[in-house]
Amino acid sequence: MNRADFVEGLRGGSAVALASAPFGALFGALAVENGMSLSEAAFMSATVYAGASQMVGIELFGHKVHAWLIVLSILAVNFRHVLYSAALAGYIGHFTSVQKFFTFFLLVDPQFAAAVKRGEAGKPLTFAWYLGFGIIIYIPWVLISVAGGMLGGFIGDPKAIGLDILLPAYFLGIVLGFRKRDNFLPVALVSAVASVLAYRYVGSPWHVSLGAAAGIVLAALLPLPREVPDLEADALQSEVHEV
């Protein structure tokens, strides 16, 4: 464990922990409102550990839906994590099996975005950095979920004060973080349109996975961006040949 990398991860994840605090409190409040105990809410945050999926789960719990349908719905929302894992595979090949277990357990949207950007920037993606980034988000998430459940009665109806907009705004911010990538606009637009149509004709939570699938299909069909020639490298190579 490299201490410097671990501390760097803690610093990077602390901003995410602060930003996700309202979602954790909102989950705890909604969980208790839908009949869950504080211990059950804490257990769900500690084991499922996926904000959007937890929201979907407690909504279905409140409607007395069959357990298999709840599990399937959470799988539909979290299916994007399969894609996240595949995208990270090239950066974590040096991790041990135990390290990979914790890597994928702590894999949430901001963790994925930060890890990919770090890898693309040429910085080493060490387990120490990844763990530091992850636990500074995970531990407060569980604790704040409990706090939200305890104080949820003071919040009242979250929709009445606009808290229901926090999760969409949060995900939009993560998506826009990749706006400089090639083909970002058409892929994001197709995903959004497909998600809206799926929400209208198929229903929640399947619109999440269907929207993502539409974007993936388009990204696979679009031509790869042509690499910009490295003029400095070409010039250096020419000089070497001349010598």
Side-chain angles (χ1 to χ4, degrees), residues 10-11 14 18 39 46 52 74 81 87 98 117 123 132 149 188 192 194 211 221 235 238:
L10 289 175
R11 290 174 178 171
S14 59
L18 291 174
S39 59
I74 291 177
H81 286 221
V98 174
K117 288 181 179 179
K123 297 180 180 179
L221 294 176
S238 299

Side-chain angles (χ1 to χ4, degrees), residues 4-222:
D5 284 352
F6 183 75
V7 172
E8 184 181 355
L10 289 175
R11 290 174 178 171
S14 59
V16 179
L18 291 174
S20 62
F23 309 135
L26 178 60
F27 165 74
L30 292 177
V32 172
E33 182 181 333
N34 281 274
M36 295 181 71
S37 65
L38 284 177
S39 59
E40 289 171 338
F43 183 74
M44 188 173 186
S45 280
T47 54
V48 178
Y49 184 48
S53 299
Q54 292 178 221
M55 300 293 186
V56 170
I58 58 174
E59 182 178 347
L60 296 177
F61 280 135
H63 289 84
K64 309 298 182 183
V65 177
H66 292 294
W68 68 268
L69 185 57
I70 296 175
V71 172
L72 194 60
S73 298
I74 291 177
L75 178 63
V77 176
N78 267 4
F79 185 77
R80 67 189 188 281
H81 286 221
V82 176
L83 307 176
Y84 288 173
S85 303
L88 282 180
Y91 300 114
I92 63 172
H94 57 288
F95 286 10
T96 66
S97 298
V98 174
Q99 289 174 340
K100 288 179 180 178
F101 171 82
F102 287 105
T103 295
F104 294 133
F105 176 77
L106 294 172
L107 183 59
V108 291
D109 300 280
Q111 183 95 20
F112 166 74
V116 169
K117 288 181 179 179
R118 183 178 178 88
E120 290 180 343
K123 297 180 180 179
L125 187 58
T126 63
F127 181 69
W129 174 87
Y130 193 99
L131 183 64
F133 196 102
I135 63 172
I136 199 63
I137 304 172
Y138 174 74
I139 295 176
W141 173 263
V142 177
L143 297 177
I144 292 173
S145 296
V146 176
M150 295 174 62
L151 304 175
F154 297 100
I155 298 176
D157 183 6
K159 295 181 180 180
I161 55 178
L163 287 181
D164 58 320
I165 197 64
L166 289 176
L167 197 61
Y170 169 72
F171 279 109
L172 181 61
I174 292 178
V175 171
L176 289 177
F178 293 91
R179 64 187 180 277
K180 294 183 179 180
R181 286 194 168 194
D182 295 299
N183 299 326
F184 168 82
L185 187 58
V187 171
L189 184 60
V190 166
S191 295
V193 172
S195 182
V196 170
L197 293 175
Y199 183 82
R200 173 66 176 82
Y201 295 104
V202 181
S204 177
W206 302 103
H207 66 292
V208 177
S209 296
L210 293 175
I216 292 169
V217 171
L218 178 63
L221 294 176
L222 289 174

